[in-house]
Amino acid sequence: MRHDNLPFHPDPSVPALALPEGACDAHCHVFGPAAQFPFAPERTYTPVDAPWEVLQALHARLGLQRTVLVQASCHGRDNAAMLDAIARSGGTCRGVAMTGPEIGDAELDRLHAGGVRGLRFNFVTHLGADADFDAVAGLCARIAPLGWHAVVHFDADRLETLAPVLKTLDLPLVIDHMGRVDASKGFDQPAWGMLLDLMEDPRFWVKVCGAERITRAGPPYADAVPFARELVARFPDRVLWGTDWPHPNIRKDMPDDGLLVDLLAEIAPDPAALRRLLVENPTRLYWAD
Ligand code: 0GY
């Protein structure tokens, strides 16, 4: 199959930073192999195969012991590749699925038994059609009793219209990639203020990964790191971090995952804050039971 994405970094550095016991990569993906797990016909990109075995080897190199696999749009609503990886993980991996309002209760139960603890909703222009908000609200009402959360992925320019509707949902909500604010616009940009305002609501969590997506300066992402650091300082109990391997739709400067780990020394310089970010917070959302 012809892919249109760059391959992941062939030889990531071994980080200098030693991660705490039980450290979790709370945002990464498995893609394919396409021969076994075909990509969705409606996808907007075709990634390179990125199987579980390669992710496991990367995690061993980086010092990460647990994994949250996040369903990506290239696999659409077919969560099979993710479920297969979770089933082979020996309990060290959980998942965030994508589905639609037609899903039955028995299928939600099957996803729960398979390690899923949340649903993801996309409002990102380059990934295709927005999730339908009525369907999102209906699904959120059904998954809240399971102890699940919603992961919301949006472009920063959607914040103004999305924030009020997201606030109507009665379950924990995790915002992907620091709300995809443009790091070059600094702390005074309106989107950053709106993101902080949402985070004042205790239902909201935020992923402080995605420096490589919000940067305009490129590696080592000096423009983006202050945003992550500020979120960790202000909301230490509601932040998550992940590599985002294999980095779909990164069009240049494929990240060195070892460098991304080393940025944590600046993002969470206090060891207790780093432990919350990498161990305690993901445990609360994904391994509560
Ligand atoms: C990410 C980011 C991207 C892709 C997806 O669902 C997806 O396909 O999330 C992106 O293109 O920015 O989190 O993997």
Side-chain angles (χ1 to χ4, degrees):
M1 179 172 294
R2 282 181 73 84
H3 62 79
D4 57 19
N5 262 213
L6 290 178
F8 46 84
H9 197 291
D11 187 25
S13 55
V14 175
L17 183 69
L19 299 183
E21 187 67 25
C24 178
D25 180 348
H27 187 107
C28 52
H29 313 286
V30 285
F31 292 154
Q36 188 182 357
F37 301 109
F39 297 117
E42 72 277 13
R43 68 191 181 279
T44 58
Y45 63 96
T46 302
V48 177
D49 279 346
W52 172 240
E53 292 73 17
V54 179
L55 179 58
Q56 275 184 303
L58 173 71
H59 281 165
R61 189 176 178 93
L62 300 180
L64 290 157
Q65 293 167 350
R66 294 182 300 163
T67 308
V68 178
L69 290 175
V70 176
Q71 180 73 359
S73 60
C74 57
H75 273 304
R77 292 173 178 178
D78 179 353
N79 298 289
M82 181 183 75
L83 290 169
D84 175 72
I86 297 172
R88 291 193 283 138
S89 74
T92 63
C93 181
R94 293 281 194 255
V96 175
M98 296 213 291
T99 189
E102 67 287 347
I103 189 168
D105 290 343
E107 179 64 3
L108 282 180
D109 290 344
R110 189 181 77 89
L111 291 178
H112 190 92
V116 170
R117 294 295 180 269
L119 290 183
R120 187 181 198 212
F121 303 107
N122 254 319
F123 303 89
V124 172
T125 305
H126 71 257
L127 298 179
D130 273 14
D132 171 76
F133 197 76
D134 288 340
V136 172
L139 279 167
C140 285
R142 290 174 61 201
I143 65 173
L146 299 174
W148 291 18
H149 59 278
V151 172
V152 282
H153 187 200
F154 50 77
D155 294 313
D157 63 4
R158 303 287 180 87
L159 253 167
E160 191 165 8
T161 48
L162 269 179
V165 286
L166 292 177
K167 282 187 175 183
T168 65
L169 302 173
D170 193 14
L171 81 174
L173 291 132
V174 181
I175 299 166
D176 272 342
H177 305 321
M178 300 187 264
R180 300 184 74 112
V181 298
D182 174 345
S184 70
K185 293 184 179 163
F187 281 174
D188 290 336
Q189 64 182 298
W192 177 245
M194 285 184 248
L195 180 68
L196 292 181
D197 182 57
L198 265 189
M199 286 301 297
E200 292 298 338
D201 181 325
R203 272 172 297 181
F204 286 86
W205 294 55
V206 66
K207 290 182 195 159
V208 297
C209 48
E212 72 288 358
R213 295 194 185 276
I214 75 165
T215 186
R216 298 296 178 268
Y221 318 117
D223 54 342
V225 167
F227 290 86
R229 185 181 169 112
E230 184 72 9
L231 289 166
V232 169
R234 284 189 188 222
F235 310 105
D237 295 325
R238 290 181 282 122
V239 281
L240 296 172
W241 173 90
T243 56
D244 202 7
W245 186 90
H247 310 287
N249 296 318
I250 292 287
R251 300 289 172 188
K252 64 170 188 154
D253 299 327
M254 181 52 64
D256 169 353
D257 300 278
L259 167 69
L260 295 180
V261 168
D262 276 335
L263 291 181
L264 287 166
E266 294 168 63
I267 292 170
D270 168 34
L274 186 65
R275 250 193 74 78
R276 283 176 172 176
L277 177 63
L278 297 182
V279 184
E280 292 161 20
N281 296 349
T283 298
R284 268 164 47 227
L285 270 194
Y286 295 99
W287 283 271
D289 53 353

